[in-house]
Amino acid sequence: ILNVEQSPQSLHVQEGDSTNFTCSFPSSNFYALHWYRWETAKSPEALFVMTLNGDEKKKGRISATLNTKEGYSYLYIKGSQPEDSATYLCAFNEGEAAGNKLTFGGGTRVLVKP
Amino acid sequence: EAGVAQSPRYKIIEKRQSVAFWCNPISGHATLYWYQQILGQGPKLLIQFQNNGVVDDSQLPKDRFSAERLKGVDSTLKIQPAKLEDSAVYLCASSLGASRVGETQYFGPGTRLLVL
C-alpha cells in the first residue's frame, strides 16, 4: 500500500498572505503527481499534473513544484483570497501498468480569513 | 462540455438498508472510477472500469458493494446492506482512457451518504 501524506491537515491564512503546504510520496517508480482543489459542495477540480523532476507549474496565484528524487511536492498560494478556501488534494499516479490508478493523500484544508 | 454527473447528491438511510448511486461520465471517456472519501481521509479507489470491463476492484468490499457499467457509458454503485462505516462521499470520475501517464481524471460533485 502506497503512503501519500499531506501536511499540514489544515491551516488558516489571513487574506493577502501567502502560504504553502506539502505532499510526500514514494520516491521510487515515480510516474506522475496530480493536484486537485475541492471546494465544499463542488466537484474536485484538477489543478496540475506533474511528471518531471524539477517541474514547476503555475495557474494564476497557485503554483507547484516537484522533487521526485526526495519524494515531495509543494503547492504555493500567493496573496490568498477567500475564494482559495478549499481542500487541496495530491494524488500519486501508479503508472500505466496499474491502470493509472491514483492514491490520494488526506488533503490540506485551507481556510482564508477576510 | 458537460461534466461528470452524479445523483443523488445526498442520501440518508438506516443501517441494513440498500442504496444505489448513479454516474454519467463525460461523453467519450472510456475509463470510469468510483471513489469513497471518508471524512478526514483522501478519496480511496473502489472500482475502475475501462469501457464496460473491470480493471481494478481490489478495494471494493464485494460482500456488500457492487458496481456495473453495462453499456460502457453510465454506471451504478450499490451498497446492500449498508453499515454505519459506509457513511462517506462517493465520487465518480472519468478519463479518456488513452493510457497516457498523467492523464487527468475529471470528478463529479459526489453523493454524500449518511447511514444512521
Side-chain angles (χ1 to χ4, degrees):
Chain A
I1 297 179
L2 292 178
N3 194 25
V4 180
E5 294 189 350
Q6 292 187 246
S7 64
Q9 283 188 318
S10 65
L11 59 92
H12 290 188
V13 186
Q14 202 65 38
E15 182 176 357
D17 287 352
S18 297
T19 188
N20 66 84
F21 36 93
T22 309
C23 172
S24 61
F25 50 85
S27 56
S28 59
N29 297 320
F30 178 84
Y31 293 96
L33 188 82
H34 302 246
W35 280 100
Y36 285 87
R37 173 171 59 197
W38 192 4
E39 296 178 66
T40 302
K42 294 187 178 179
S43 305
E45 172 198 359
L47 288 174
F48 306 114
V49 179
M50 310 184 80
T51 56
L52 297 175
N53 184 44
D55 253 358
E56 289 189 28
K57 299 268 176 114
K58 188 176 180 182
K59 184 176 183 178
R61 293 177 292 97
I62 301 177
S63 60
T65 61
L66 179 69
N67 184 324
T68 61
K69 294 183 178 179
E70 296 183 40
Y72 65 84
S73 176
Y74 291 133
L75 193 119
Y76 300 87
I77 305 176
K78 183 179 178 182
S80 303
Q81 298 297 309
E83 58 265 31
D84 297 326
S85 297
T87 297
Y88 291 82
L89 295 164
C90 70
F92 182 83
N93 186 318
E94 296 186 37
E96 215 172 316
N100 284 314
K101 176 180 174 179
L102 296 184
T103 299
F104 281 86
T108 294
R109 181 177 292 183
V110 175
L111 179 62
V112 181
K113 297 183 285 186
Chain B
E1 179 183 81
V4 177
Q6 290 190 248
S7 67
R9 293 293 306 274
Y10 304 92
K11 191 75 177 179
I12 301 174
I13 61 173
E14 294 188 350
K15 61 183 179 183
R16 291 187 289 274
Q17 285 188 321
S18 301
V19 65
F21 313 127
W22 175 81
C23 172
N24 191 28
I26 293 172
S27 177
H29 280 195
T31 309
L32 184 147
Y33 314 79
W34 283 102
Y35 290 87
Q36 178 193 57
Q37 191 260 335
I38 292 172
L39 189 64
Q41 300 178 19
K44 180 185 83 172
L45 180 69
L46 292 176
I47 189 167
Q48 176 182 345
F49 293 94
Q50 180 77 11
N51 297 307
N52 59 352
V54 175
V55 173
D56 183 349
D57 63 357
S58 57
Q59 298 191 89
L60 186 74
K62 298 180 185 65
D63 56 334
R64 296 183 301 106
F65 285 65
S66 64
E68 60 183 14
R69 192 184 185 201
L70 290 176
K71 296 183 179 178
V73 181
D74 55 355
S75 175
T76 55
L77 176 70
K78 296 179 182 177
I79 308 175
Q80 182 179 8
K83 292 185 176 181
L84 297 176
E85 58 261 35
D86 298 332
S87 295
V89 177
Y90 291 84
L91 290 164
C92 179
S94 70
S95 67
L96 278 170
S99 294
R100 288 192 306 258
V101 172
E103 184 177 82
T104 297
Q105 294 182 22
Y106 297 89
F107 284 83
T111 296
R112 191 173 299 271
L113 174 68
L114 180 60
V115 182
L116 301 175

